Amino acid sequence: MNAKKILEKIARSSERRTDVPTPPPVELVAFIVRWARTLRNWKVSTLADFACVSISTVERVERGEKVGEEALDRIALALGYDKGAFYAPRIPLGPEQVAGETLDTLANLEEVSVAPMKTHRAVREAINCQAFLVHRPDVPDAYDQDIANLVEWLDFASFSLAGEFHLDGEELPGRRKLYNDILTSVAEMERRGLTVLVGVMHAPQPNLPDWKVAILSITPKLTDPGAIKRDCVFVDRRSVVLSDMSFGDISSIIRSS
């Protein structure tokens, strides 16, 4: 079943009763699995490996065919969902509620371009921002200090280099060394199994029209091997409202794409 037919069946499923607990339609499960896999830049074989199921099982799920609950649980867990997410009965949301919740979420998302943090330019753009927002889904606590150190490096660079000027187009030696130290820190995080992406989000605040936030997306290579190819993330604008932000804190409200 192709994507168009799956979406057509999902649309027809809105005619079902919304007052009786029912399992999610297989077409909806197919769409979610395919969508979640695509967001991660995973091949079908990659999801099959992480879920410990066969490639044909993933293909059957994505075609909207029925498979066993154990296989569905394995796929759900590999994609970050709970057991039972793809088959447990629940009260379906009505079309109006679905539309309202979807609109509330999508209306506040902004696409931010990101790239691997591997160049002086990437560091320079980050430290020229007024705040940092870190997204670290599924990153184990063992990396807390590494991430905190990176944010401290960026924070230190932002303050210590404020007001410096370029001389004949050349950067001051101290600036280059600081950039290299930051990139060395990033390289060590990558050596230990993380992918570090960075981007800049323009987030004007009252009386601060030029306010910018550096978005740091940090993910484990083991569970998100496609992150290195990611070129954007979606950030909830409500997460960068100045009155609500805690600079340097770890945040989990960025949605990757």
Side-chain angles (χ1 to χ4, degrees), residues 84-192:
F86 294 155
Y87 61 81
R90 76 287 306 266
I91 297 292
L93 299 178
E96 292 184 0
Q97 186 176 356
V98 171
E101 292 186 1
T102 302
L103 181 61
D104 180 62
T105 298
L106 296 181
N108 287 289
L109 294 183
E110 180 170 328
E111 182 177 330
V112 178
S113 297
V114 294
M117 197 172 195
K118 293 180 178 293
T119 65
H120 282 198
R121 178 180 178 180
V123 174
R124 180 170 61 249
E125 290 179 348
I127 65 175
N128 283 335
C129 293
Q130 286 72 42
F132 307 106
L133 190 61
V134 181
H135 178 228
R136 48 168 296 174
D138 302 321
V139 175
D141 294 343
Y143 293 99
D144 284 357
Q145 192 59 52
D146 298 270
I147 295 173
N149 288 342
L150 175 59
V151 173
E152 287 182 8
W153 267 116
L154 293 171
D155 206 24
F156 171 74
S158 180
F159 280 103
S160 65
L161 299 179
E164 287 190 4
F165 298 91
H166 296 273
L167 299 176
D168 298 326
E170 295 292 328
E171 293 178 336
L172 298 175
R175 180 183 292 257
R176 285 198 298 270
K177 182 179 185 306
L178 193 50
Y179 287 179
N180 287 334
D181 288 341
I182 292 172
L183 292 176
T184 298
S185 176
V186 171
E188 177 61 18
M189 293 171 67
E190 292 181 337
R191 187 190 67 79
R192 295 188 59 206

Side-chain angles (χ1 to χ4, degrees), residues 23-24 28-29 32 72-73 76-77 80-90:
L28 180 59
V29 173
I32 291 173
L72 287 175
D73 277 342
L77 292 173
Y81 296 96
D82 295 330
K83 284 187 175 182
F86 294 155
Y87 61 81
R90 76 287 306 266

Side-chain angles (χ1 to χ4, degrees), residues 48-70:
D49 286 342
F50 278 117
C52 296
V53 299
S54 66
I55 292 176
S56 62
T57 296
V58 176
E59 291 174 338
R60 287 171 57 203
V61 171
E62 293 192 0
R63 287 197 299 265
E65 300 176 9
K66 291 185 177 181
V67 302
E69 293 182 356
E70 181 179 353

